Amino acid sequence: MIADVIRETVAVLSRIHSVVLASHVNPDGDAVGSLLALTHAFNQIGMATQPILVDGVPEIYRWIPGAELIQTEPTQSQFDAGVVCDAGALIRIGTSLVPLFESVPILIDIDHHVADGTFGAYQIVDAKRASTAELVYDVILEMERAFGKSLLNADIAQCLMVGIITDTGSFKYPNVTPQTLAIAAKLTELGAHPAPINERIYENRSYANVKLLGRALEALQRSDDGRVAWSSISAQDFAEFGATDEETEGIVSQIRAVRGVDVAIFFREIPGGKVRISLRGRDGVSDVNKIANVFG
């Protein structure tokens, strides 16, 4: 039971003094929000924290409370524990960070992606959750009980609401459950209103992002039966608009919005001759991580 694992994990956390936290490369709202929510909670109980994202915080999420705390590389080499949020597999935090996280005495995996890459002594992993933020919410509730201290506040609520909103497509995706909505209601009571958060994320696009969206829609293709649609952005496109990969946020959802499409795929060429791929599925084929797993 996830509740039992959370209880055991928090009991272990009560005995440590320093923790390093990370999430996946090319972080989305769930990655940034979950990471910062835990950082705020750990700080409140007097734990030394170091949150790290090797790609940094995307511009559209830099307003989230505590975003300035996130580093792109560690400033020390030893921690009592490591927590990885929303990564799918340890390698997804970035190859430069893997040795550090493999060396910590206690490694904790918090994720709603269930793949072959689960890791760590403590695995708070549940594919039925719409976002990792939901699991982090449960962890913080258990911390409140264990430490006898109120931790959930407006800042943490905003962090978690960002994670839920971005991983549910503003509550539009089929992964939304009654539990998702109940948690969102509690976060709203704490001051994390969905409307302004949605506006900051989805209605505050950079010029380059909009231009890239146009280029992606121009290149849009679909299968003969119309169930699969895909598009791509080349390195030349990025250079033409002076854009970075973080400015492709949300484009795959626009591809998925085409009527009749069950699976959307978005390819983009990044420096070093590499290609990053995003997948989104509709109800019935929503578990697209299985496709990603086939290709490693």
Side-chain angles (χ1 to χ4, degrees):
M1 292 288 290
I2 288 296
D4 295 332
V5 178
I6 291 175
R7 196 174 305 112
E8 292 170 11
T9 304
V10 171
V12 169
L13 288 172
S14 68
R15 300 193 293 269
I16 68 173
H17 304 287
S18 65
V19 61
V20 58
L21 306 97
S23 190
H24 59 79
V25 295
N26 189 34
D28 56 9
D30 196 22
V32 179
S34 297
L35 195 70
L36 286 174
L38 280 174
T39 298
H40 288 308
F42 290 155
N43 286 341
Q44 287 187 69
I45 60 173
M47 195 180 299
T49 59
Q50 184 159 102
I52 304 173
L53 291 170
V54 293
D55 287 338
V57 181
E59 185 177 354
I60 61 170
Y61 301 122
R62 288 178 192 159
W63 59 270
I64 300 175
E68 72 283 354
L69 300 173
I70 294 178
Q71 306 294 313
T72 55
E73 57 185 29
T75 58
Q76 64 189 72
S77 59
Q78 292 186 327
F79 296 89
D80 296 331
V83 178
V84 176
C85 301
D86 198 48
L90 188 58
I91 191 67
R92 290 273 291 136
I93 66 175
T95 54
S96 63
L97 285 183
V98 171
L100 171 62
F101 278 81
E102 287 181 334
S103 71
V104 296
I106 300 165
L107 183 56
I108 300 163
D109 179 17
I110 306 177
D111 205 349
H112 71 125
H113 305 104
V114 176
D116 294 334
T118 49
F119 53 89
Y122 298 89
Q123 299 175 3
I124 303 173
V125 180
D126 186 357
K128 295 178 182 177
R129 300 301 185 98
S131 65
T132 296
E134 291 183 32
L135 290 164
V136 170
Y137 174 85
D138 287 351
V139 170
I140 295 174
L141 285 185
E142 178 59 25
M143 287 174 63
E144 289 188 331
R145 188 201 64 77
F147 290 92
K149 182 176 182 180
S150 178
L151 300 174
L152 283 168
N153 55 28
D155 285 351
I156 289 178
Q158 285 200 73
C159 295
L160 295 175
M161 186 68 89
V162 168
I164 292 172
I165 283 175
T166 53
D167 260 29
T168 62
S170 301
F171 305 100
K172 292 182 297 187
Y173 296 163
N175 58 359
V176 174
T177 66
Q179 188 173 26
T180 305
L181 297 175
I183 293 173
K186 292 292 185 182
L187 300 178
T188 303
E189 289 176 0
L190 289 167
H193 297 281
I197 291 175
N198 268 291
E199 184 174 348
R200 282 181 129 160
I201 296 172
Y202 297 114
E203 298 176 20
N204 187 31
R205 299 292 188 181
S206 68
Y207 177 79
N209 172 264
V210 177
K211 293 294 284 185
L212 287 175
L213 172 60
R215 188 60 53 86
L217 295 179
E218 216 176 290
L220 183 65
Q221 300 181 63
R222 62 179 178 176
S223 59
D224 291 341
D225 61 6
R227 295 184 62 196
V228 180
W230 65 91
S231 188
S232 61
I233 293 291
S234 68
Q236 184 177 343
D237 294 327
F238 282 114
E240 181 180 345
F241 303 127
T244 60
D245 190 50
E246 71 179 56
E247 288 171 300
T248 63
E249 179 78 18
I251 292 179
V252 68
S253 296
Q254 295 299 314
I255 298 171
R256 180 181 174 274
V258 176
R259 184 183 298 120
V261 169
D262 289 328
V263 176
I265 313 170
F266 180 43
F267 305 85
R268 61 256 191 221
E269 186 181 5
I270 60 174
K274 297 180 180 180
V275 175
R276 280 181 172 163
I277 305 170
S278 297
L279 299 100
R280 292 289 185 276
R282 291 190 185 276
D283 196 12
V285 286
S286 57
D287 196 9
V288 291
N289 70 297
K290 291 180 180 178
I291 300 171
N293 286 340
V294 170
F295 295 97

